[in-house]
Amino acid sequence: MKLIFSFILSLFICLGISAQPGYYFNTIFSAGQNPGNLNNDPEEPLGFTAGYDTLISANAAIGYSPIQTIPFVFDFNGAPVISYKVSISGVLTFTTSTTLLPSSTNDTIPNSSIPNSSIMIWGLQKQLGDDAIAAQTYGNAPNRQHWIKFLSYSAPGAIGQQWTYWSIVLEETTNRIYIVDERTFNTPLTLTIGIQVNDSTAYQYTRAPLTPSFNTNGATVNDASDNVYHKFIPGSRPVNDAELVSLGLNPTEISPVTVTGIIKNSGTDTLKSVVVYWRVRGNSTINRDTLSLSLPPQFTSSFSHGINLVAIAGQFYDIEVWTSMPNGFVDGDNLNDSLKGQVFIMTGNTVQRNTIIEHFTTTLCRFCPDGDLLADHLNNNVQNIYATSIHSCFFTDSMTNTEATDLCSVFGINTAPVAMVNRKLFNGETSVALRKNALAYPNWATASWGTRSLSQSTTGAIVDVNVYGSYNPVSRVLNATVDA
């Protein structure tokens, strides 16, 4: 009888924890990844985000999306919800029967213009033809995330002058809500970031309604490496909670590797000590270090683990790092204690990098001969630069082919002459396809193709790649061997 009572009591407590009302929030500035690291898609306009369902298309009028079904069980403020709709002003509501439509002029919350049971990036506006709202689900049950993504939106009145990418994320099992700041070109934004339960209860980021985009590398970084996210967690903030925010592991390292990272005090007490562990995945050896701190609530601190990774050059290592026992107590939130990273161990030597210029051209393009001239000059006069022409990505002609058209579609190329240099997105550019920005002659080195390819050709490569083989022009069979 005692065992049955204990089981029922434990079940009641677990159900209570998973469905408790109220929220507290943490903002993560430097994780180097999206929450949970499930979404690794590029942050691009709707045409280049394969797998998303369009909720509001590029040509839709102002209003709400059709009602959407959440693909898993989700609790909002302690009660289950099964569907939602989203407005182009940046408000998602679980009150799908509402006709209350918030404008793009945002304010503090709670606010009578916001429907009950809503999540918001309030203050956005759809501006141009490629602006849209889309959704996609990542991960596997019971740890999925449902992303609702605002693609290329703007602040009110900033038509043609600004674009910004944000997402609202619903997480299965934890019932956490994330608001992800992905990319913004040309600030400022004055958004309201938060959750409104009803007219009297709301939880908002402290600076709302003047929340800017913290991620202002919109023109240069289209992945999660620089994303900022606001994490709304059901329940009350724990007393002791050491959060592992990010790891300082670079993609390539030289042995020995110092395991570093950032810890945040997400509890209510000052964080005075915490144990940090790391290990190589698949290795039974666990490395332990106790850190002494004096970290106030909501502050962060960098750390260097006392035990280094001694590794073999030429191999990849998957590293697992986690925290434990903040202030000597059991951590109040075990879901934010661990992170994983991968490093490739190199010798420290580099080899000459070969640079590839892929030049897009077509017969209907009057400036393309100048692009040909520039590509030919770089190909013939710089020893380790190689140029090739791809046809065609600007209108069509008799030489248009499927392979080139597909390549243009993937990279969003719709003009000529443009060129990709090592298919790299350079700082300050919005696309991998570069315009020349100057006539070829006599601007060989100062035209953008020249400056970008020369910078790449003088940057050492960490892997030496050699290709050799044979080609039979009759059978058209190519045999190639690649040594790295």
Side-chain angles (χ1 to χ4, degrees):
M1 182 68 180
K2 184 181 293 184
L3 289 175
I4 294 175
F5 176 77
S6 298
F7 171 75
I8 293 174
L9 179 60
S10 299
L11 180 61
F12 176 78
I13 291 173
C14 290
L15 292 173
I17 290 174
S18 65
Q20 55 187 315
Y23 292 89
Y24 68 97
F25 70 88
N26 294 321
T27 297
I28 308 301
F29 287 96
S30 54
Q33 62 183 37
N34 282 323
N37 201 27
L38 297 180
N39 175 9
N40 292 295
D41 281 351
E43 298 157 356
E44 296 285 2
L46 184 61
F48 314 115
T49 50
Y52 275 91
D53 296 321
T54 303
L55 307 189
I56 294 183
S57 68
N59 298 317
I62 293 176
Y64 277 111
S65 71
I67 295 173
Q68 306 295 312
T69 300
I70 303 171
F72 45 74
V73 176
F74 186 78
D75 286 342
F76 176 80
N77 197 49
V81 290
I82 60 174
S83 58
Y84 67 89
K85 61 183 181 180
V86 59
S87 77
I88 67 166
S89 56
V91 177
L92 179 152
T93 184
F94 299 111
T95 307
T96 54
S97 61
T98 186
T99 58
L100 190 62
L101 179 62
S103 73
S104 293
T105 303
N106 59 308
D107 203 343
T108 57
I109 53 176
N111 193 291
S112 59
S113 65
I114 300 295
N116 291 344
S117 304
S118 293
I119 307 167
M120 66 208 70
I121 315 167
W122 186 21
L124 295 175
Q125 188 171 48
K126 177 178 168 298
Q127 297 283 0
L128 298 175
D130 60 352
D131 300 355
I133 303 175
Q136 187 171 11
T137 302
Y138 295 90
N140 300 307
N143 301 305
R144 289 169 289 181
Q145 290 179 345
H146 185 61
W147 284 63
I148 302 94
K149 194 161 189 171
F150 295 80
L151 301 163
S152 193
Y153 269 48
S154 307
I159 184 168
Q161 303 172 20
Q162 180 190 64
W163 42 262
T164 190
Y165 290 71
W166 291 73
S167 292
I168 294 172
V169 183
L170 310 179
E171 188 168 73
E172 186 180 21
T173 302
T174 69
N175 298 309
R176 294 183 173 185
I177 297 166
Y178 302 95
I179 297 176
V180 185
D181 178 358
E182 299 177 65
R183 305 179 71 190
T184 297
F185 173 71
N186 195 7
T187 52
L189 291 169
T190 55
L191 304 175
T192 301
I193 305 299
I195 295 171
Q196 179 160 314
V197 177
N198 51 46
D199 285 348
S200 60
T201 304
Y203 307 90
Q204 68 177 351
Y205 178 69
T206 308
R207 301 186 191 185
L210 301 175
T211 305
S213 170
F214 293 104
N215 184 354
T216 56
N217 291 325
T220 59
V221 180
N222 72 336
D223 59 34
S225 61
D226 63 343
N227 285 2
V228 173
Y229 57 89
H230 308 277
K231 176 168 54 175
F232 291 82
I233 305 167
S236 301
R237 186 179 299 279
V239 175
N240 297 290
D241 180 14
E243 180 168 0
L244 185 58
V245 173
S246 65
L247 300 180
L249 296 170
N250 295 310
T252 57
E253 296 274 7
I254 300 172
S255 182
V257 180
T258 302
V259 177
T260 64
I262 296 176
I263 289 177
K264 181 176 182 178
N265 180 8
S266 294
T268 58
D269 276 6
T270 298
L271 182 62
K272 297 179 179 178
S273 67
V274 63
V275 181
V276 178
Y277 298 92
W278 72 265
R279 70 177 175 186
V280 176
R281 190 176 67 184
N283 194 320
S284 60
T285 301
I286 297 176
N287 304 282
R288 182 183 191 274
D289 193 12
T290 300
L291 307 180
S292 296
L293 306 164
S294 183
L295 196 61
Q298 298 304 296
F299 279 73
T300 60
S301 176
S302 59
F303 72 89
S304 296
H305 201 279
I307 302 175
N308 293 338
L309 167 66
V310 179
I312 300 172
Q315 294 189 13
F316 286 95
Y317 289 81
D318 294 311
I319 311 297
E320 301 173 348
V321 185
W322 67 98
T323 62
S324 182
M325 300 302 290
N327 293 330
F329 295 97
V330 174
D331 198 299
D333 181 5
N334 290 320
L335 298 177
N336 60 16
D337 294 349
S338 62
L339 289 174
K340 298 177 181 178
Q342 186 185 73
V343 297
F344 176 75
I345 306 301
M346 61 178 182
T347 62
N349 301 319
T350 59
V351 295
Q352 176 64 57
R353 182 188 300 272
N354 292 324
T355 299
I356 305 298
I357 299 175
E358 295 172 277
H359 166 222
F360 292 90
T361 184
T362 175
T363 57
L364 301 177
C365 166
R366 61 176 176 160
F367 295 108
C368 284
D370 188 67
D372 294 332
L373 190 65
L374 176 56
D376 286 346
H377 175 85
L378 294 169
N379 184 80
N380 296 328
N381 292 278
V382 183
Q383 185 174 5
N384 57 313
I385 292 180
Y386 302 88
T388 183
S389 293
I390 298 176
H391 199 96
S392 136
C393 294
F394 181 65
F395 297 127
T396 59
D397 56 34
S398 60
M399 292 178 285
T400 299
N401 60 85
T402 302
E403 291 81 359
T405 302
D406 290 345
L407 190 65
C408 292
S409 177
V410 169
F411 288 104
I413 298 168
N414 58 7
T415 187
V418 292
M420 299 187 294
V421 177
N422 285 350
R423 300 193 180 183
K424 177 179 173 63
L425 180 64
F426 291 90
N427 288 341
E429 303 288 353
T430 59
S431 171
V432 294
L434 306 171
R435 296 178 182 271
K436 295 189 286 78
N437 293 340
L439 291 174
Y441 177 82
N443 305 300
W444 310 117
T446 57
S448 64
W449 299 2
T451 58
R452 299 307 191 184
S453 58
L454 288 169
S455 70
Q456 281 291 284
S457 68
T458 56
T459 302
I462 65 168
V463 176
D464 188 12
V465 179
N466 295 291
V467 184
Y468 55 92
S470 62
Y471 174 68
N472 186 324
V474 177
S475 65
R476 304 182 70 185
V477 173
L478 171 69
N479 292 294
T481 300
V482 179
D483 286 340

